[in-house]
Amino acid sequence: QVQLVESGGGSVQAGGSLRLSCGASGSIYGDACVGWLRQAPGKEREGVARIATGSGNTYYADSVKGRFTISQDNAKNTLYLQMNSLKPEDTAMYYCAASSAWVCVHGRWSAFDYWGQGTQVTVS
């Protein structure tokens, strides 16, 4: 069983930056898919960024490409999301998720097995 705990959310003005962290209990690295998704009020959950831990291949949603960076620290079992040039439309609850590498290969955001509780990001 893997448990994920997010941190780093908060309120920031447009144009500002935040870094989200996701700590994992239980090792999920080596050949897994980990990522960040978000859900704004009244909207469906959407994938933001994901990384295949084995290959390091990353994928970003068009809406965040060039502004957000996903990274991992295998030694610390921690996933990060550096968010720069934040916009009001980035306001959402951000979730960390993890699963087997298959999810990254096939781009199946809905197929993540493990989820964190979420951290709120508000951009005004």
Side-chain angles (χ1 to χ4, degrees), residues 38-104:
R38 67 187 181 186
Q39 188 167 21
K43 295 187 177 181
E44 293 187 355
R45 188 174 294 181
E46 63 171 344
V48 174
R50 64 178 187 258
I51 183 169
T53 60
S55 65
N57 289 337
T58 58
Y59 171 87
Y60 295 92
D62 287 342
S63 58
V64 306
K65 204 171 292 184
R67 300 187 298 122
F68 291 11
T69 302
I70 189 171
S71 62
Q72 57 180 339
D73 185 331
N74 291 350
K76 296 182 179 179
N77 264 9
T78 301
L79 179 70
Y80 301 100
L81 184 68
Q82 178 67 44
M83 305 185 294
N84 298 327
S85 301
L86 283 161
K87 304 175 181 180
E89 51 263 44
D90 294 317
T91 295
M93 185 71 78
Y94 283 71
Y95 298 90
C96 170
S99 191
S100 68
W102 180 91
V103 173
C104 277

Side-chain angles (χ1 to χ4, degrees), residues 4-11 18-22 36-39 81 83 90-96 116-122:
L4 305 172
V5 179
E6 301 97 334
S7 61
S11 296
L18 284 173
R19 188 177 80 155
L20 305 183
S21 299
C22 174
W36 293 93
L37 299 89
R38 67 187 181 186
Q39 188 167 21
L81 184 68
M83 305 185 294
D90 294 317
T91 295
M93 185 71 78
Y94 283 71
Y95 298 90
C96 170
Q117 83 289 348
T119 186
Q120 177 68 38
V121 171
T122 302

